[in-house]
Amino acid sequence: MLSVPGWTGLRDARRREAAGPPGPRPVGLIACAGRFPIAFAEKARECGVPVVCVGVAGMADPALKRICTEYHTLNRASLGFLLRTFRRGGVERWTMAGKFHKHLLYQPWRLFQFVPDWRMVRFYFYRKRRANNDDSLLLGLIDEFRAHGLECASPLDLVPELLVRDGVLTRRKPTAAEQRDISVGWALAREMGRLDIGQSVMVRERAVLAVEAIEGTDRAIERAGELCSRSGFVVVKVAKPGQDRRFDVPTVGTQTIETMYRSGARVLAIEAGQTILLDEAQTVALADRYGISIAAFEAAPAV
């Protein structure tokens, strides 16, 4: 059959014109625990951006299934599954949100629990890196995705309004003694961040009660409460120096306040412009109900 030169291209152009302008490209989301993945997915839907979500089994909130354009469950540590899912969904840019419970990586029989594919085994056990801290692992994962044409972006590119503003957010302000504890804790938390150990330090009377490590902020707060008989102490949470906003951005919310109340903490000091505050109205209202102070600073308060 004869074909007219240029006909196919003209026909395709007319089809595209009839279909209207192309929509935004889908974004990939690796979702772990907490409210942050939901906040991101809701904002993406509001902006008309399709989300291809891979939720980590046992961590990601099931509510993501009704919010995202596509939802897939990551039941095992399969790097190949992640790459194939994003490619099939037309993803070129991806992001990650939520808390990954890293301590699970060190449980007995972890290989049988996670059942990693060969790509993940090669990445985790054979890829060269200085240590298995968060930065080393996540930057290595970003490089692995980039090698397959998938670029990582910060979720805050879409939801920058989640970053907390400067000032005291609650009715109660920190006392002079609590401000001294904040000042001590701020410098220590910054140093812990520089060493990539954790982001939070719990302080009472200028003495460190607990430092966050692999267990996460909530568990560290609970430990501090046990050590000082649940009497008032300060929680300081700051970003790492040179924080990479593509991952591990400090995050607080109603869960943080509930844990503080049960443990006896009285003040939450966070870094303005560098910390995600989820469900701000609800979180502040809950803190007011419990008599907890939430204060955001751009730098350690002067005392």
Side-chain angles (χ1 to χ4, degrees):
M1 183 175 67
L2 294 176
S3 62
V4 180
W7 172 256
T8 302
L10 178 61
R11 181 182 60 197
D12 290 346
R14 285 177 175 171
R15 283 178 178 170
R16 288 194 296 270
E17 184 178 348
R25 299 287 299 177
V27 62
L29 170 63
I30 299 177
C32 296
R35 279 273 304 156
F36 188 22
I38 293 176
F40 174 84
E42 287 176 339
K43 183 65 174 181
R45 184 172 65 176
E46 180 185 320
C47 296
V49 178
V51 176
V52 177
C53 180
V54 178
V56 179
M59 298 186 196
D61 194 315
L64 288 163
K65 295 178 182 178
R66 61 175 172 77
I67 301 171
C68 299
T69 313
E70 292 183 31
Y71 184 86
H72 308 267
T73 301
L74 184 67
N75 289 304
R76 51 187 290 245
S78 174
L79 192 52
F81 175 80
L82 288 167
L83 294 169
R84 289 191 301 272
T85 300
F86 284 165
R87 281 176 179 162
R88 289 169 184 167
V91 169
E92 294 178 354
R93 291 166 65 82
W94 65 283
T95 191
M96 59 186 101
K99 172 70 175 176
F100 181 83
H101 301 311
K102 191 180 172 187
H103 68 277
L104 296 174
L105 297 176
Y106 305 103
Q107 301 298 310
W109 307 101
R110 57 181 173 171
L111 291 179
F112 295 97
Q113 181 180 358
F114 288 101
V115 197
D117 64 355
W118 170 241
R119 284 182 188 271
M120 185 61 78
V121 169
R122 186 177 58 187
F123 166 76
Y124 191 81
F125 292 103
Y126 297 105
R127 185 185 178 98
K128 290 183 178 180
R129 53 183 169 267
R130 181 179 61 84
N132 280 332
N133 54 356
D134 290 350
D135 282 6
S136 296
L137 285 172
L138 293 172
L139 289 172
L141 189 66
I142 288 170
D143 287 343
E144 192 78 18
F145 274 75
R146 183 182 293 121
H148 292 85
L150 296 166
E151 193 64 38
C152 183
S154 168
L156 291 170
D157 291 347
L158 195 63
V159 283
E161 64 271 17
L162 292 180
L163 292 172
V164 68
R165 65 187 186 279
D166 180 66
V168 178
L169 280 62
T170 49
R171 289 194 294 266
R172 191 176 88 81
K173 298 180 179 180
T175 65
E178 288 167 343
Q179 289 214 40
R180 287 193 290 271
D181 285 346
I182 293 170
S183 184
V184 169
W186 193 282
L188 293 170
R190 185 74 82 198
E191 183 64 13
M192 293 301 99
R194 185 188 68 80
L195 296 170
D196 199 16
I197 294 173
Q199 300 168 328
S200 305
V201 173
M202 278 47 73
V203 181
R204 177 177 167 83
E205 297 176 2
R206 290 176 287 172
V208 176
L209 299 172
V211 174
E212 175 197 354
I214 197 172
E215 81 277 35
T217 301
D218 284 355
R219 294 281 295 276
I221 292 171
E222 290 170 352
R223 191 168 73 252
E226 293 167 1
L227 292 170
C228 72
S229 302
R230 290 177 169 76
S231 56
F233 60 93
V234 166
V235 178
V236 182
K237 189 177 181 86
V238 303
K240 304 171 187 175
Q243 175 76 50
D244 191 325
R245 290 195 174 184
R246 292 175 296 179
F247 57 85
D248 207 23
V249 178
T251 304
V252 297
T254 55
Q255 167 101 24
T256 313
I257 300 302
E258 290 285 5
T259 304
M260 290 176 61
Y261 176 68
R262 290 195 307 269
S263 303
R266 297 282 291 156
V267 177
L268 175 61
I270 49 182
E271 187 172 4
Q274 298 289 340
T275 304
I276 295 168
L277 177 57
L278 297 170
D279 304 314
E280 179 174 338
Q282 297 93 314
T283 301
V284 172
L286 188 65
D288 280 335
R289 189 194 314 166
Y290 291 152
I292 291 173
S293 175
I294 302 177
F297 304 93
E298 293 181 349
V303 293

